Amino acid sequence: MSTPPVPDVTVTVIVHNDAERLPRAVESVRRQTHRNLEIVISDDHSTDDTPRVARALAATDGRIRYLRLPENSGGCSAPRNRALELARAPYLMFLDSDDELPEESVAALLAAHREREIDFAMGAVRRVRVDTGRRSTWMPHLVRERRTLDGIAADPRLFFEHLSTSKMYARAFLDRHRLRFPEGIHYEDQLFSAQAYCLAERFTIIPEPVYLWYVAPYAGSGAASISNQRHLLTNVRDRIHVQRLIDAFLDDSGHRALREDKDHKFLKHDFRMYAGDLPYREEEWLETFADLVNPYLGTLSPGAYARLPRAERVVLQLIRDRRLSEVRWAARGLGHGVAPRELSTGADGRVYWGGQVPGSTGARRELDLTELELDTRPFPGAQFRHEITEIARGPGASVDLTVRTYDPALRLPVGPQRASLLLSPGRRRLSVPFRLLPVRPGVFEGRVRLDPAAARLPLSGFAGVRHPMVRLTCRGQGNRGLLLAPLDFPALTARVPYRSGAAPHRVTVEPEGHGPGRLQLRWEPTGLTATVLRPTAHQPGPTPRL
């Protein structure tokens, strides 16, 4: 019997209880334009129909080999490592069963290896939202142009691109350094990629897409990826654990000089993922979260903190100071230029976040907002905070909102203020004027009726989401800011006929499910008409309050 030819590349497809999507992943490898490859399906002891599906796939193509682990490992590392032991090719790639490879992936990465001697080649990752189909490039600024680097020190920003699946590795490189995926931990890609970056003498980046990463942000808990299980405190513990392993590796391998860059990546990416969810967490969860992260935050480089936007530094410091109720307020403004409810001024004239001057030097440094010039910046760019404190049903499809506006830098003149609620589901903007009356210095409150039926939609209809804005007018100048909703009020749905000629639509008024929790209106065209608001998925309750 003749020996089969040695393949150029081995692509390992790891799978666990994913019989439905496995054929799609394997087919994406089979249709690669570079044909001389082998496919190893590495099954982490699935208990569904995966074994039968995998064997059927292997029977259709001699390039496919099926490997089944004797017991479930609970992670990605073991199935990758076991397949690596069987791989016959000098170059290796890894694919998850719920993702795909674009058809030129293998050819493009292999060409980079054949151009010069490198340890690995990497390309662009396209993220695909399974709920909307929207596509985007993961970390596009890092893969925008073709380049070959002599080690990670040439561009430490690459720590942000920690996916092992976007790369083709030279087998000799992995074996020379005995580099394998760490077993028994989650976030194994972060440690493996940090080690690969630091141990590689040379690697090439290409701008072509080499991986399709399917993202299901609203998957059920049983199907959610590890990254989408941030509500689990064990997830926080796992992420901190792998960071400590990376830190130890950097120290032991002589790469301590990269620690600030790696710390910055953790604060800007890993911690930031949790920070955006903090407004939705209960007090007990926040207490345990602070217990888990604070010891590690204290080990990070001061320079890593200094590179963050001020709003992110505020959230971090409030966590470290265990001002947990205030953390929710601060986190709701991340990335949106939302003011705090209060500011305080120290004896030296410095301005700080919140209603009290911080006690420690470190806290004063991180909570110091003086550089933002909140009291002097041009009015259109001034920061205010608009919160809905009450929501009540109005006539027809309308809702009555009580809006409280915080002006901590005292930019608005004394007395009533002119405001408008802005909404633009079509080309013509809906503007509803209302007045904000003074409650106390720096705080105003007013009531406004929001009627979705008054918006002018395109004749073709409108399907999508819009977030109302509050516009303040002062001395002929305008300022727009987002409108924060109570996070727990029940979603309200109406079927609304439109006098503008557009077909009836189903409109839902609700708090935003992710991010800062803006008030959100969602339109869906429908042939039915109704004007009675009703809760969806919740029973009517008392008027929600913040």
Side-chain angles (χ1 to χ4, degrees):
M1 181 180 295
S2 61
T3 302
V6 176
D8 295 320
V9 179
T10 297
V11 180
T12 292
V13 183
I14 63 168
V15 61
H16 178 251
N17 288 349
D18 198 12
E20 181 179 354
R21 292 179 294 192
L22 177 62
R24 182 187 68 180
V26 172
E27 181 59 29
S28 77
V29 186
R30 293 183 64 205
R31 66 170 177 258
Q32 290 294 302
T33 57
H34 186 89
R35 306 291 298 170
N36 186 27
L37 50 79
E38 73 171 345
I39 306 166
V40 177
I41 300 175
S42 190
D43 177 7
D44 197 16
H45 201 80
S46 295
T47 56
D48 68 348
D49 205 27
T50 292
R52 184 194 64 79
V53 171
R55 291 188 180 100
L57 290 169
T60 65
D61 191 327
R63 299 177 298 172
I64 301 176
R65 305 166 71 187
Y66 176 52
L67 167 67
R68 177 174 169 82
L69 273 64
E71 59 183 23
N72 178 252
S73 70
C76 299
S77 293
R80 288 172 179 164
N81 288 339
R82 300 296 90 77
L84 200 153
E85 295 168 3
L86 299 179
R88 298 186 297 124
Y91 300 102
L92 308 172
M93 292 182 68
F94 301 95
L95 171 65
D96 295 344
S97 62
D98 54 344
D99 297 327
E100 290 184 87
L101 298 183
E103 62 182 17
E104 294 286 345
S105 299
V106 171
L109 291 169
L110 185 58
H113 275 280
R114 288 176 169 173
E115 283 178 6
R116 64 184 71 191
E117 185 175 344
I118 57 176
D119 293 314
F120 63 84
M122 57 185 286
V125 174
R126 290 284 169 82
R127 286 166 52 97
V128 184
R129 284 277 297 257
V130 299
D131 54 336
T132 65
R134 182 177 178 271
R135 297 193 173 207
S136 60
T137 299
W138 170 253
M139 300 292 169
H141 57 292
L142 299 177
V143 294
R144 189 167 288 129
E145 60 184 23
R146 190 180 189 90
R147 54 197 175 122
T148 297
L149 302 181
D150 295 328
I152 182 67
D155 190 353
R157 298 177 304 163
L158 287 165
F159 279 126
F160 281 86
E161 210 293 69
H162 53 239
L163 303 179
S164 66
T165 50
S166 61
K167 302 168 179 69
M168 178 186 286
Y169 307 90
R171 175 64 180 263
F173 163 65
L174 299 183
D175 289 348
R176 184 168 63 251
H177 294 285
R178 299 179 181 177
L179 182 55
R180 297 294 186 267
F181 289 92
E183 299 186 22
I185 66 171
H186 290 304
Y187 298 107
E188 68 289 327
D189 269 20
Q190 294 207 22
L191 177 56
F192 179 86
S193 293
Q195 292 171 331
Y197 279 130
C198 291
L199 296 173
E201 296 179 7
R202 179 181 295 174
F203 56 90
T204 294
I205 302 169
I206 65 174
E208 289 82 8
V210 301
Y211 198 83
L212 294 179
W213 177 10
Y214 287 92
V215 180
Y218 307 122
S221 59
S225 67
I226 296 297
S227 295
N228 284 333
Q229 295 178 12
R230 296 189 299 273
H231 61 290
L232 301 177
L233 289 164
T234 53
N235 182 276
V236 181
R237 188 177 292 109
D238 290 341
R239 197 182 286 264
I240 295 296
H241 176 62
V242 82
Q243 298 304 313
R244 292 190 181 277
L245 294 177
I246 295 171
D247 296 342
F249 166 76
L250 294 178
D251 289 345
D252 295 344
S253 64
H255 292 89
R256 189 174 180 81
L258 295 171
R259 180 66 190 273
E260 181 179 309
D261 294 290
K262 177 262 155 196
D263 289 349
H264 176 249
K265 180 265 176 187
F266 169 77
L267 294 172
K268 186 64 179 172
H269 175 75
D270 299 86
F271 183 88
R272 181 65 175 81
M273 295 178 71
Y274 295 106
D277 297 333
L278 294 180
Y280 302 88
R281 302 302 183 216
E282 300 295 332
E283 191 76 20
E284 183 178 355
W285 193 98
L286 291 172
E287 289 280 356
T288 307
F289 178 76
D291 290 341
L292 291 172
V293 301
N294 277 345
Y296 185 65
L297 293 177
T299 70
L300 303 185
S301 164
Y305 287 95
R307 291 158 65 174
L308 295 173
R310 178 61 65 175
E312 295 178 24
R313 293 167 64 181
V314 166
V315 171
L316 281 157
Q317 190 60 47
L318 292 174
I319 286 285
R320 298 180 73 179
D321 288 347
R322 305 188 74 89
R323 294 165 61 176
L324 301 182
S325 60
E326 297 173 76
V327 165
R328 294 194 190 96
W329 306 343
R332 296 192 77 177
L334 286 174
H336 292 279
V338 175
R341 290 179 176 179
E342 296 179 276
L343 297 172
S344 55
T345 303
D348 57 357
R350 308 294 293 181
V351 177
Y352 300 97
W353 198 98
Q356 62 186 53
V357 177
S360 70
T361 300
R364 286 196 296 272
R365 180 181 62 248
E366 299 303 304
L367 300 178
D368 189 340
L369 305 186
T370 308
E371 65 186 30
L372 299 182
E373 299 181 330
L374 298 178
D375 57 341
T376 59
R377 63 170 56 188
F379 187 75
Q383 291 189 6
F384 302 94
R385 186 183 191 93
H386 308 290
E387 298 183 3
I388 298 173
T389 57
E390 295 183 11
I391 298 177
R393 296 178 179 85
S398 66
V399 289
D400 291 328
L401 309 176
T402 300
V403 177
R404 176 163 290 190
T405 292
Y406 294 89
D407 173 26
L410 304 180
R411 300 299 306 275
L412 297 172
V414 176
Q417 306 299 318
R418 295 172 56 196
S420 299
L421 192 63
L422 307 179
L423 186 63
S424 303
R427 293 184 178 179
R428 297 186 63 178
R429 184 180 67 199
L430 173 66
S431 178
V432 185
F434 67 104
R435 297 180 70 188
L436 288 166
L437 303 177
V439 175
R440 59 179 182 271
V443 180
F444 300 82
E445 192 168 272
R447 291 175 174 82
V448 59
R449 174 164 293 166
L450 176 60
D451 185 1
R456 295 183 62 87
L457 301 188
L459 292 178
S460 57
F462 175 75
V465 172
R466 289 292 183 268
H467 301 97
M469 305 280 284
V470 174
R471 185 178 191 272
L472 299 175
T473 303
C474 181
R475 300 185 181 91
Q477 293 185 306
N479 176 287
R480 294 186 186 185
L482 58 85
L483 180 58
L484 300 175
L487 297 177
D488 58 353
F489 86 82
L492 303 172
T493 295
R495 291 186 177 92
V496 182
Y498 282 93
R499 294 185 296 273
S500 61
H505 285 61
R506 181 182 294 106
V507 182
T508 300
V509 182
E510 59 191 357
E512 182 181 38
H514 295 268
R518 296 170 287 184
L519 183 66
Q520 174 173 287
L521 274 73
R522 181 160 41 88
W523 278 264
E524 302 171 83
T526 176
L528 302 176
T529 60
T531 56
V532 179
L533 275 168
R534 67 183 190 280
T536 60
H538 295 278
Q539 294 299 317
T543 300
R545 291 179 176 271
L546 282 184

PDB file of all heavy atoms in Angstrom, residues 48-71:
ATOM      1  N   ASP A  48     -23.870  14.058  21.852  1.00  0.00           N
ATOM      2  CA  ASP A  48     -24.974  14.185  20.909  1.00  0.00           C
ATOM      3  C   ASP A  48     -24.658  13.368  19.657  1.00  0.00           C
ATOM      4  O   ASP A  48     -23.955  12.358  19.725  1.00  0.00           O
ATOM      5  CB  ASP A  48     -25.243  15.657  20.594  1.00  0.00           C
ATOM      6  CG  ASP A  48     -24.112  16.312  19.803  1.00  0.00           C
ATOM      7  OD1 ASP A  48     -23.022  15.700  19.683  1.00  0.00           O
ATOM      8  OD2 ASP A  48     -24.309  17.438  19.301  1.00  0.00           O
ATOM      9  N   ASP A  49     -25.129  13.802  18.509  1.00  0.00           N
ATOM     10  CA  ASP A  49     -24.954  13.056  17.261  1.00  0.00           C
ATOM     11  C   ASP A  49     -23.620  13.368  16.576  1.00  0.00           C
ATOM     12  O   ASP A  49     -23.401  12.942  15.441  1.00  0.00           O
ATOM     13  CB  ASP A  49     -26.120  13.376  16.319  1.00  0.00           C
ATOM     14  CG  ASP A  49     -26.381  12.266  15.308  1.00  0.00           C
ATOM     15  OD1 ASP A  49     -26.059  11.099  15.617  1.00  0.00           O
ATOM     16  OD2 ASP A  49     -26.887  12.580  14.217  1.00  0.00           O
ATOM     17  N   THR A  50     -22.751  14.120  17.244  1.00  0.00           N
ATOM     18  CA  THR A  50     -21.484  14.523  16.623  1.00  0.00           C
ATOM     19  C   THR A  50     -20.643  13.337  16.128  1.00  0.00           C
ATOM     20  O   THR A  50     -20.110  13.392  15.010  1.00  0.00           O
ATOM     21  CB  THR A  50     -20.674  15.397  17.595  1.00  0.00           C
ATOM     22  OG1 THR A  50     -21.354  16.649  17.772  1.00  0.00           O
ATOM     23  CG2 THR A  50     -19.273  15.668  17.062  1.00  0.00           C
ATOM     24  N   PRO A  51     -20.460  12.255  16.893  1.00  0.00           N
ATOM     25  CA  PRO A  51     -19.634  11.152  16.387  1.00  0.00           C
ATOM     26  C   PRO A  51     -20.125  10.582  15.061  1.00  0.00           C
ATOM     27  O   PRO A  51     -19.325  10.336  14.147  1.00  0.00           O
ATOM     28  CB  PRO A  51     -19.707  10.122  17.515  1.00  0.00           C
ATOM     29  CG  PRO A  51     -19.958  10.925  18.745  1.00  0.00           C
ATOM     30  CD  PRO A  51     -20.868  12.023  18.293  1.00  0.00           C
ATOM     31  N   ARG A  52     -21.435  10.373  14.941  1.00  0.00           N
ATOM     32  CA  ARG A  52     -21.959   9.838  13.678  1.00  0.00           C
ATOM     33  C   ARG A  52     -21.725  10.815  12.529  1.00  0.00           C
ATOM     34  O   ARG A  52     -21.306  10.426  11.437  1.00  0.00           O
ATOM     35  CB  ARG A  52     -23.460   9.558  13.809  1.00  0.00           C
ATOM     36  CG  ARG A  52     -24.064   8.902  12.560  1.00  0.00           C
ATOM     37  CD  ARG A  52     -25.576   8.953  12.587  1.00  0.00           C
ATOM     38  NE  ARG A  52     -26.096  10.314  12.554  1.00  0.00           N
ATOM     39  CZ  ARG A  52     -26.181  11.044  11.437  1.00  0.00           C
ATOM     40  NH1 ARG A  52     -25.735  10.560  10.280  1.00  0.00           N
ATOM     41  NH2 ARG A  52     -26.664  12.261  11.494  1.00  0.00           N
ATOM     42  N   VAL A  53     -21.985  12.122  12.786  1.00  0.00           N
ATOM     43  CA  VAL A  53     -21.787  13.134  11.750  1.00  0.00           C
ATOM     44  C   VAL A  53     -20.319  13.201  11.346  1.00  0.00           C
ATOM     45  O   VAL A  53     -19.980  13.277  10.156  1.00  0.00           O
ATOM     46  CB  VAL A  53     -22.284  14.510  12.243  1.00  0.00           C
ATOM     47  CG1 VAL A  53     -21.885  15.617  11.272  1.00  0.00           C
ATOM     48  CG2 VAL A  53     -23.798  14.489  12.430  1.00  0.00           C
ATOM     49  N   ALA A  54     -19.414  13.173  12.311  1.00  0.00           N
ATOM     50  CA  ALA A  54     -17.984  13.262  12.025  1.00  0.00           C
ATOM     51  C   ALA A  54     -17.513  12.061  11.194  1.00  0.00           C
ATOM     52  O   ALA A  54     -16.738  12.210  10.234  1.00  0.00           O
ATOM     53  CB  ALA A  54     -17.194  13.357  13.320  1.00  0.00           C
ATOM     54  N   ARG A  55     -17.971  10.871  11.553  1.00  0.00           N
ATOM     55  CA  ARG A  55     -17.557   9.683  10.798  1.00  0.00           C
ATOM     56  C   ARG A  55     -18.107   9.728   9.378  1.00  0.00           C
ATOM     57  O   ARG A  55     -17.427   9.303   8.423  1.00  0.00           O
ATOM     58  CB  ARG A  55     -18.022   8.418  11.524  1.00  0.00           C
ATOM     59  CG  ARG A  55     -17.297   8.169  12.842  1.00  0.00           C
ATOM     60  CD  ARG A  55     -17.650   6.815  13.439  1.00  0.00           C
ATOM     61  NE  ARG A  55     -16.953   6.602  14.703  1.00  0.00           N
ATOM     62  CZ  ARG A  55     -17.504   6.779  15.897  1.00  0.00           C
ATOM     63  NH1 ARG A  55     -18.777   7.169  16.003  1.00  0.00           N
ATOM     64  NH2 ARG A  55     -16.792   6.571  16.998  1.00  0.00           N
ATOM     65  N   ALA A  56     -19.315  10.222   9.216  1.00  0.00           N
ATOM     66  CA  ALA A  56     -19.886  10.342   7.877  1.00  0.00           C
ATOM     67  C   ALA A  56     -19.085  11.335   7.035  1.00  0.00           C
ATOM     68  O   ALA A  56     -18.848  11.116   5.838  1.00  0.00           O
ATOM     69  CB  ALA A  56     -21.348  10.784   7.972  1.00  0.00           C
ATOM     70  N   LEU A  57     -18.641  12.423   7.655  1.00  0.00           N
ATOM     71  CA  LEU A  57     -17.815  13.393   6.927  1.00  0.00           C
ATOM     72  C   LEU A  57     -16.490  12.761   6.524  1.00  0.00           C
ATOM     73  O   LEU A  57     -16.009  12.952   5.391  1.00  0.00           O
ATOM     74  CB  LEU A  57     -17.574  14.626   7.804  1.00  0.00           C
ATOM     75  CG  LEU A  57     -18.787  15.538   8.056  1.00  0.00           C
ATOM     76  CD1 LEU A  57     -18.473  16.546   9.155  1.00  0.00           C
ATOM     77  CD2 LEU A  57     -19.191  16.266   6.781  1.00  0.00           C
ATOM     78  N   ALA A  58     -15.872  12.008   7.429  1.00  0.00           N
ATOM     79  CA  ALA A  58     -14.592  11.365   7.116  1.00  0.00           C
ATOM     80  C   ALA A  58     -14.736  10.359   5.982  1.00  0.00           C
ATOM     81  O   ALA A  58     -13.807  10.158   5.184  1.00  0.00           O
ATOM     82  CB  ALA A  58     -14.038  10.687   8.368  1.00  0.00           C
ATOM     83  N   ALA A  59     -15.898   9.733   5.887  1.00  0.00           N
ATOM     84  CA  ALA A  59     -16.113   8.745   4.828  1.00  0.00           C
ATOM     85  C   ALA A  59     -16.221   9.381   3.452  1.00  0.00           C
ATOM     86  O   ALA A  59     -16.022   8.695   2.435  1.00  0.00           O
ATOM     87  CB  ALA A  59     -17.374   7.934   5.133  1.00  0.00           C
ATOM     88  N   THR A  60     -16.521  10.668   3.397  1.00  0.00           N
ATOM     89  CA  THR A  60     -16.696  11.333   2.098  1.00  0.00           C
ATOM     90  C   THR A  60     -15.420  11.941   1.556  1.00  0.00           C
ATOM     91  O   THR A  60     -15.385  12.345   0.395  1.00  0.00           O
ATOM     92  CB  THR A  60     -17.750  12.456   2.221  1.00  0.00           C
ATOM     93  OG1 THR A  60     -17.261  13.483   3.095  1.00  0.00           O
ATOM     94  CG2 THR A  60     -19.057  11.913   2.765  1.00  0.00           C
ATOM     95  N   ASP A  61     -14.370  12.064   2.384  1.00  0.00           N
ATOM     96  CA  ASP A  61     -13.146  12.748   1.944  1.00  0.00           C
ATOM     97  C   ASP A  61     -11.960  12.110   2.657  1.00  0.00           C
ATOM     98  O   ASP A  61     -11.887  12.114   3.895  1.00  0.00           O
ATOM     99  CB  ASP A  61     -13.239  14.245   2.291  1.00  0.00           C
ATOM    100  CG  ASP A  61     -12.151  15.080   1.634  1.00  0.00           C
ATOM    101  OD1 ASP A  61     -11.023  14.575   1.454  1.00  0.00           O
ATOM    102  OD2 ASP A  61     -12.422  16.253   1.300  1.00  0.00           O
ATOM    103  N   GLY A  62     -11.032  11.564   1.891  1.00  0.00           N
ATOM    104  CA  GLY A  62      -9.874  10.890   2.462  1.00  0.00           C
ATOM    105  C   GLY A  62      -8.950  11.811   3.220  1.00  0.00           C
ATOM    106  O   GLY A  62      -8.052  11.336   3.933  1.00  0.00           O
ATOM    107  N   ARG A  63      -9.127  13.101   3.078  1.00  0.00           N
ATOM    108  CA  ARG A  63      -8.273  14.049   3.800  1.00  0.00           C
ATOM    109  C   ARG A  63      -8.724  14.250   5.246  1.00  0.00           C
ATOM    110  O   ARG A  63      -8.027  14.904   6.035  1.00  0.00           O
ATOM    111  CB  ARG A  63      -8.274  15.404   3.081  1.00  0.00           C
ATOM    112  CG  ARG A  63      -7.742  15.356   1.657  1.00  0.00           C
ATOM    113  CD  ARG A  63      -7.851  16.733   0.993  1.00  0.00           C
ATOM    114  NE  ARG A  63      -9.240  17.182   0.903  1.00  0.00           N
ATOM    115  CZ  ARG A  63      -9.622  18.404   0.520  1.00  0.00           C
ATOM    116  NH1 ARG A  63      -8.690  19.302   0.203  1.00  0.00           N
ATOM    117  NH2 ARG A  63     -10.894  18.730   0.454  1.00  0.00           N
ATOM    118  N   ILE A  64      -9.912  13.723   5.602  1.00  0.00           N
ATOM    119  CA  ILE A  64     -10.483  13.946   6.924  1.00  0.00           C
ATOM    120  C   ILE A  64     -10.157  12.771   7.838  1.00  0.00           C
ATOM    121  O   ILE A  64     -10.341  11.610   7.475  1.00  0.00           O
ATOM    122  CB  ILE A  64     -12.008  14.131   6.846  1.00  0.00           C
ATOM    123  CG1 ILE A  64     -12.356  15.332   5.949  1.00  0.00           C
ATOM    124  CG2 ILE A  64     -12.605  14.314   8.240  1.00  0.00           C
ATOM    125  CD1 ILE A  64     -13.842  15.528   5.747  1.00  0.00           C
ATOM    126  N   ARG A  65      -9.694  13.078   9.049  1.00  0.00           N
ATOM    127  CA  ARG A  65      -9.454  12.082  10.084  1.00  0.00           C
ATOM    128  C   ARG A  65     -10.290  12.463  11.308  1.00  0.00           C
ATOM    129  O   ARG A  65     -10.437  13.649  11.637  1.00  0.00           O
ATOM    130  CB  ARG A  65      -7.972  12.038  10.456  1.00  0.00           C
ATOM    131  CG  ARG A  65      -7.058  11.804   9.260  1.00  0.00           C
ATOM    132  CD  ARG A  65      -5.612  12.106   9.604  1.00  0.00           C
ATOM    133  NE  ARG A  65      -5.050  11.108  10.497  1.00  0.00           N
ATOM    134  CZ  ARG A  65      -3.834  11.227  11.063  1.00  0.00           C
ATOM    135  NH1 ARG A  65      -3.087  12.299  10.831  1.00  0.00           N
ATOM    136  NH2 ARG A  65      -3.376  10.278  11.853  1.00  0.00           N
ATOM    137  N   TYR A  66     -10.833  11.454  11.971  1.00  0.00           N
ATOM    138  CA  TYR A  66     -11.689  11.687  13.134  1.00  0.00           C
ATOM    139  C   TYR A  66     -11.002  11.178  14.392  1.00  0.00           C
ATOM    140  O   TYR A  66     -10.589  10.025  14.474  1.00  0.00           O
ATOM    141  CB  TYR A  66     -13.037  10.999  12.949  1.00  0.00           C
ATOM    142  CG  TYR A  66     -13.947  11.102  14.160  1.00  0.00           C
ATOM    143  CD1 TYR A  66     -14.214  12.334  14.749  1.00  0.00           C
ATOM    144  CD2 TYR A  66     -14.532   9.966  14.710  1.00  0.00           C
ATOM    145  CE1 TYR A  66     -15.039  12.432  15.851  1.00  0.00           C
ATOM    146  CE2 TYR A  66     -15.365  10.045  15.819  1.00  0.00           C
ATOM    147  CZ  TYR A  66     -15.609  11.290  16.394  1.00  0.00           C
ATOM    148  OH  TYR A  66     -16.424  11.397  17.494  1.00  0.00           O
ATOM    149  N   LEU A  67     -10.903  12.062  15.372  1.00  0.00           N
ATOM    150  CA  LEU A  67     -10.297  11.753  16.664  1.00  0.00           C
ATOM    151  C   LEU A  67     -11.326  12.033  17.748  1.00  0.00           C
ATOM    152  O   LEU A  67     -11.894  13.125  17.809  1.00  0.00           O
ATOM    153  CB  LEU A  67      -9.051  12.623  16.883  1.00  0.00           C
ATOM    154  CG  LEU A  67      -8.461  12.674  18.294  1.00  0.00           C
ATOM    155  CD1 LEU A  67      -7.899  11.310  18.679  1.00  0.00           C
ATOM    156  CD2 LEU A  67      -7.385  13.756  18.382  1.00  0.00           C
ATOM    157  N   ARG A  68     -11.578  11.063  18.603  1.00  0.00           N
ATOM    158  CA  ARG A  68     -12.532  11.244  19.706  1.00  0.00           C
ATOM    159  C   ARG A  68     -11.799  11.073  21.029  1.00  0.00           C
ATOM    160  O   ARG A  68     -11.178  10.030  21.279  1.00  0.00           O
ATOM    161  CB  ARG A  68     -13.670  10.230  19.602  1.00  0.00           C
ATOM    162  CG  ARG A  68     -14.676  10.300  20.749  1.00  0.00           C
ATOM    163  CD  ARG A  68     -15.852   9.358  20.493  1.00  0.00           C
ATOM    164  NE  ARG A  68     -16.709   9.187  21.658  1.00  0.00           N
ATOM    165  CZ  ARG A  68     -17.673  10.029  22.030  1.00  0.00           C
ATOM    166  NH1 ARG A  68     -17.878  11.129  21.306  1.00  0.00           N
ATOM    167  NH2 ARG A  68     -18.423   9.791  23.082  1.00  0.00           N
ATOM    168  N   LEU A  69     -11.851  12.101  21.878  1.00  0.00           N
ATOM    169  CA  LEU A  69     -11.210  12.027  23.184  1.00  0.00           C
ATOM    170  C   LEU A  69     -11.965  11.062  24.098  1.00  0.00           C
ATOM    171  O   LEU A  69     -13.209  10.997  24.046  1.00  0.00           O
ATOM    172  CB  LEU A  69     -11.129  13.408  23.829  1.00  0.00           C
ATOM    173  CG  LEU A  69      -9.893  14.260  23.479  1.00  0.00           C
ATOM    174  CD1 LEU A  69      -9.864  14.611  21.986  1.00  0.00           C
ATOM    175  CD2 LEU A  69      -9.861  15.536  24.312  1.00  0.00           C
ATOM    176  N   PRO A  70     -11.256  10.303  24.944  1.00  0.00           N
ATOM    177  CA  PRO A  70     -11.921   9.291  25.788  1.00  0.00           C
ATOM    178  C   PRO A  70     -12.827   9.886  26.845  1.00  0.00           C
ATOM    179  O   PRO A  70     -13.730   9.217  27.345  1.00  0.00           O
ATOM    180  CB  PRO A  70     -10.756   8.540  26.413  1.00  0.00           C
ATOM    181  CG  PRO A  70      -9.593   9.480  26.348  1.00  0.00           C
ATOM    182  CD  PRO A  70      -9.790  10.270  25.096  1.00  0.00           C
ATOM    183  N   GLU A  71     -12.621  11.146  27.210  1.00  0.00           N
ATOM    184  CA  GLU A  71     -13.509  11.821  28.162  1.00  0.00           C
ATOM    185  C   GLU A  71     -13.486  13.299  27.864  1.00  0.00           C
ATOM    186  O   GLU A  71     -12.544  13.830  27.248  1.00  0.00           O
ATOM    187  CB  GLU A  71     -13.096  11.561  29.611  1.00  0.00           C
ATOM    188  CG  GLU A  71     -11.686  12.007  29.946  1.00  0.00           C
ATOM    189  CD  GLU A  71     -11.286  11.664  31.369  1.00  0.00           C
ATOM    190  OE1 GLU A  71     -11.869  10.734  31.961  1.00  0.00           O
ATOM    191  OE2 GLU A  71     -10.364  12.329  31.884  1.00  0.00           O
TER     192      GLU A  71
END
